[in-house]
Amino acid sequence: MSLQRKPYFALDAEMLGNLVTILKDFGYIIYGPVERDGAIVYDIIESAEQIPRGLFDEQSPGRYRLIKKDERRYFGYVVGPQSPKYVLYPPQHLLFKVRKDGRTFIPRPDGKKVAIFGLRPCDLKAVDILDDVLLKGPYKNNTYWTLRKDALFIAVNCIEPDNNCFCTSMNTGPFAKSGCDICITELLMDGKHVFILETMTDKGAEIVNRLGCRSATEEELDAVSRLMEEARNKIRKKLNVENLKEDLYKNLEHPRWNDVGNRCLTCGNCTLVCPTCFCSSVFDRSSLSMDVAERWALWDSCFSIDYSYIHGGAIRQSIMSRYRNWLMHKLATWVDQFGTFGCVGCGRCITWCPVGIDIVEEANRVRS
């Protein structure tokens, strides 16, 4: 695999802070990777010094650990428990507020511009899927639109995919093809530490121009090509998606559903860490003086028995039926609804399941 010889730029690693500074000059609130409570999460950053260095992650079903390896590398890990959904579709957000005098307040776009630094290619596809769900129906999600419309994405290509990654099966990674403004590949070569930058939008090009980068050398681009090939070969987990939807529909009564239903704890971790799960519920609250009432949206999970409560009872009473509903939606009915899978192969649901249930293994067993 070789890179097309369009303009690529090289930014010396010690200049990474300049990129953060320029983003701030453009008025962006920057979310970047930080280490917290033993995991890589997104939070607002003010400088590149807050981006952890030397950390790698080890992931397997039901297990996540950060380890220190190479003190120089910035992006040795893949994905943590949070995805861009956490920034663009907050876990809890105000829908509207009503006063006793009849005045109503609906949150409006406030000009807040968000830049997310360090997205992985699978998460770019997840944002694309959320766009379809939350923006392209008859009603736009106002909160998501407010944060999404001016958002700037700086993606980082994966050169160290983890055991639970299966992005190559879902055609979402490990290298970004679109969906971001700037794409970065971290390169450590012959004592040099540089970031190879590719601009994908005019906005991204404007920012890179301000950086004053030099052009990437042929030697650096060849090294990136080798890393791309190596990264693809490192991904061992595979899900054959050919006829997957049809095979799952044929096996709605497969005994494997009962087996996984006996292991699932219905904790909802898989839906909370999933970058495309969008289910929410609403709740109301009022002030003690009873002159103001608010309606809030809160992430919910189809693993909750109350989520399917309709007309005096829950539709999906058993754990088996709730797991089957979730997996079928990700890999079959989502295709009918939106024309694509609802899974991007990030592997978060496998890593953060406390009993290590593996969506790839379950889908393969059911269709067999």
Side-chain angles (χ1 to χ4, degrees):
M1 179 181 296
S2 61
L3 295 176
Q4 294 179 353
R5 290 312 188 232
K6 62 180 185 178
Y8 288 86
F9 303 92
L11 178 72
D12 292 335
E14 58 266 28
M15 305 297 285
L16 185 64
N18 291 1
L19 178 54
V20 175
T21 300
I22 289 173
L23 292 175
K24 290 168 66 178
D25 291 343
F26 273 83
Y28 287 103
I29 296 172
I30 309 163
Y31 284 82
V34 299
E35 181 190 7
R36 183 185 304 146
D37 300 329
I40 300 296
V41 298
Y42 285 115
D43 204 349
I44 294 175
I45 60 172
E46 297 293 335
S47 75
E49 298 298 317
Q50 294 171 261
I51 299 174
R53 299 183 70 170
L55 289 179
F56 291 66
D57 53 9
E58 289 181 343
Q59 301 191 32
S60 58
R63 185 176 185 276
Y64 175 96
R65 294 290 185 277
L66 285 179
I67 57 173
K68 279 197 173 288
K69 278 188 184 176
D70 187 337
E71 294 293 337
R72 298 171 298 170
R73 189 176 290 282
Y74 278 94
F75 300 102
Y77 43 83
V78 282
V79 294
Q82 292 178 347
S83 66
K85 179 179 76 171
Y86 171 80
V87 178
L88 302 174
Y89 187 58
Q92 180 173 310
H93 51 271
L94 178 67
L95 296 177
F96 63 81
K97 182 187 293 187
V98 179
R99 298 185 184 280
K100 196 173 184 179
D101 60 10
R103 286 186 295 167
T104 301
F105 167 75
I106 300 175
R108 298 291 185 189
D110 57 4
K112 176 182 176 183
K113 295 196 302 183
V114 170
I116 306 181
F117 194 145
L119 295 91
R120 299 301 181 165
C122 55
D123 282 338
L124 296 176
K125 178 59 180 177
V127 173
D128 186 49
I129 290 172
L130 286 179
D131 286 352
D132 284 343
V133 174
L134 299 175
L135 299 180
K136 295 183 180 177
Y139 305 102
K140 284 183 181 177
N141 183 292
N142 189 54
T143 299
Y144 183 80
W145 170 242
T146 299
L147 294 165
R148 173 71 178 92
K149 63 184 177 64
D150 293 320
L152 181 127
F153 298 146
I154 300 177
V156 177
N157 286 323
C158 290
I159 58 175
E160 295 287 347
D162 230 308
N163 293 328
N164 290 339
C165 298
F166 57 104
C167 58
T168 49
S169 298
M170 311 310 291
N171 196 27
T172 60
F175 279 71
K177 300 171 186 171
S178 61
C180 61
D181 298 282
I182 302 170
C183 184
I184 290 175
T185 304
E186 187 173 16
L187 190 61
L188 283 149
M189 182 179 71
D190 300 332
K192 291 192 303 184
H193 186 188
V194 298
F195 295 101
I196 305 302
L197 276 54
E198 178 184 7
T199 59
M200 294 193 174
T201 64
D202 292 342
K203 192 162 48 175
E206 186 179 2
I207 290 169
V208 170
N209 285 338
R210 286 275 296 272
L211 274 171
C213 300
R214 63 176 172 82
S215 296
T217 66
E218 290 292 322
E219 183 185 22
E220 289 167 338
L221 295 181
D222 287 343
V224 171
S225 296
R226 286 196 298 274
L227 289 175
M228 293 171 71
E229 194 63 35
E230 290 170 8
R232 287 185 179 281
N233 292 333
K234 288 177 183 175
I235 297 175
R236 303 297 183 191
K237 193 177 287 291
K238 303 292 182 186
L239 177 63
N240 180 8
V241 298
E242 187 175 357
N243 299 320
L244 178 58
K245 182 187 80 168
E246 291 77 12
D247 288 347
L248 291 174
Y249 276 135
K250 291 175 187 173
N251 287 285
L252 289 174
E253 303 302 327
H254 195 284
R256 185 70 181 185
W257 296 119
N258 286 316
D259 180 85
V260 70
N262 290 331
R263 288 177 280 134
C264 176
L265 304 178
T266 67
C267 64
N269 264 13
C270 51
T271 58
L272 297 179
V273 299
C274 174
T276 64
C277 277
F278 58 88
C279 291
S280 64
S281 59
V282 296
F283 69 94
D284 297 334
R285 68 185 184 192
S286 56
S287 63
L288 288 175
S289 58
M290 300 296 287
D291 59 351
V292 178
E294 296 175 342
R295 174 158 292 180
W296 288 77
L298 183 73
W299 286 1
D300 205 342
S301 171
C302 55
F303 281 87
S304 163
I305 191 169
D306 290 335
Y307 191 75
S308 66
Y309 188 94
I310 299 175
H311 302 310
I315 293 173
R316 292 182 284 274
Q317 293 277 344
S318 68
I319 295 175
M320 179 278 286
S321 66
R322 278 173 259 162
Y323 184 85
R324 182 176 60 187
N325 168 72
W326 176 76
L327 187 144
M328 288 295 296
H329 194 205
K330 290 293 171 193
L331 301 177
T333 56
W334 203 303
V335 179
D336 294 332
Q337 282 182 286
F338 303 108
T340 184
F341 291 107
C343 173
V344 297
C346 67
R348 288 185 175 94
C349 60
I350 305 169
T351 299
W352 296 94
C353 173
V355 294
I357 294 173
D358 184 332
I359 186 174
V360 174
E361 181 181 351
E362 301 307 327
N364 284 334
R365 291 291 185 90
V366 167
R367 74 188 311 193
S368 68

